Amino acid sequence: MGEFFKSELKDRFLQYALERRDYFEAQVLYDEFLRPNYSLDFAKKLIKEIRDYNPELLDIMSGNGVEIFMLASTPKTEDFLMDGGFLDMHVKEEEKWDTFLNQLSGNRKLSKDEKKLLKKNSPTLKREKNLLTVLIAAVIISFLFTLYSILNNTFLKPEYVPKDEFERRLEQVESQYKLENERLVKELAKAQDTIDSLRN
């Protein structure tokens, strides 16, 4: 069992004792928090660790042939829990060790802002953005030239054509426009695939 979980259990024991306001057996803590995965001896071991840390956190009476038989909270129990209890002590100790080890290794952890800035200024990301911009610009320019060419051939050159010829050309323009639009969509999809492959 990890120290974090043990610290949490000790706090729960103290909280339970605080809520009871009377004496109760160690068996009650075992039944409430540890049964069936752990033993009564483990519950008593945790109670002993609480006492070893500060004997004034629990009032313990021996009897019935055992050292830890009945227990209850004390005036210090509530103050200790209000200050954060064993769990807070464990977290603070872990933070101290993390800080110490980071200083020892010389590898300082980056803050969230530093990580974002590093990612933003990444040369790979810049290259991907530039490539995407160029590909999109090329697709847009190609589309505009095609549209201009179609409009120029259809509407801007003054030709006198019969109505059915005009309708046929209009249908031809529409089909060319659709084909060009499909081609541009495929090019854009290819560009996206290229960018995705660069990212991977």
Side-chain angles (χ1 to χ4, degrees):
M1 176 185 292
E3 291 301 316
F4 182 87
F5 184 57
K6 283 171 69 175
S7 300
E8 187 178 7
L9 274 174
K10 289 177 196 175
D11 285 346
R12 286 187 183 185
F13 284 7
L14 292 174
Q15 186 64 45
Y16 183 83
L18 191 64
E19 289 168 1
R20 282 289 297 254
R21 300 286 184 186
D22 62 344
Y23 283 89
F24 57 94
E25 293 181 44
Q27 177 75 38
V28 174
L29 290 176
Y30 168 69
D31 292 340
E32 186 76 21
F33 299 104
L34 295 170
R35 182 183 291 270
N37 299 321
Y38 296 93
S39 66
L40 177 60
D41 288 336
F42 183 70
K44 289 179 180 178
K45 180 184 175 217
L46 290 177
I47 295 167
K48 188 174 181 320
E49 286 179 13
I50 293 171
R51 288 284 315 264
D52 290 345
Y53 174 74
N54 186 346
E56 296 180 353
L57 289 178
L58 284 175
D59 187 13
I60 295 180
M61 290 190 295
S62 57
N64 207 19
V66 291
E67 183 185 348
I68 300 172
F69 178 57
M70 300 288 282
L71 56 149
S73 63
T74 69
K76 299 249 180 183
T77 308
E78 186 172 10
D79 293 338
F80 180 73
L81 287 173
M82 291 294 284
D83 288 340
F86 286 103
L87 195 57
D88 190 54
M89 284 171 40
H90 175 73
V91 169
K92 284 178 180 172
E93 189 65 28
E94 287 291 316
E95 287 173 354
K96 281 181 191 174
W97 274 106
D98 286 346
T99 304
F100 172 72
L101 291 174
N102 283 336
Q103 289 172 348
L104 196 64
S105 68
N107 295 331
R108 186 176 63 85
K109 287 186 178 177
L110 297 174
S111 68
K112 287 183 181 179
D113 292 337
E114 288 172 328
K115 285 179 183 176
K116 283 181 186 175
L117 189 62
L118 191 63
K119 194 173 181 181
K120 187 178 176 184
N121 293 331
S122 165
T124 307
L125 193 61
K126 281 184 178 178
R127 189 175 62 217
E128 287 176 3
K129 283 182 179 177
N130 289 341
L131 183 61
L132 181 62
T133 305
V134 168
L135 288 171
I136 290 173
V139 168
I140 290 170
I141 290 169
S142 173
F143 173 74
L144 290 175
F145 272 118
T146 304
L147 188 62
Y148 172 76
S149 172
I150 291 170
L151 290 174
N152 189 33
N153 288 337
T154 305
F155 297 111
L156 299 179
K157 288 185 179 178
E159 277 186 53
Y160 297 101
V161 291
K163 182 181 175 186
D164 57 343
E165 179 68 19
F166 176 75
E167 288 174 356
R168 188 184 63 75
R169 283 191 185 181
L170 192 58
E171 286 175 11
Q172 188 179 17
V173 167
E174 285 177 358
S175 66
Q176 283 178 346
Y177 175 75
K178 284 179 184 174
L179 288 171
E180 184 61 24
N181 202 17
E182 288 173 10
R183 186 183 68 79
L184 292 173
V185 167
K186 286 178 183 174
E187 282 186 25
L188 194 57
K190 281 183 186 175
Q192 188 61 49
D193 291 342
T194 305
I195 287 168
D196 289 343
S197 67
L198 283 173
R199 283 185 182 158
N200 296 332

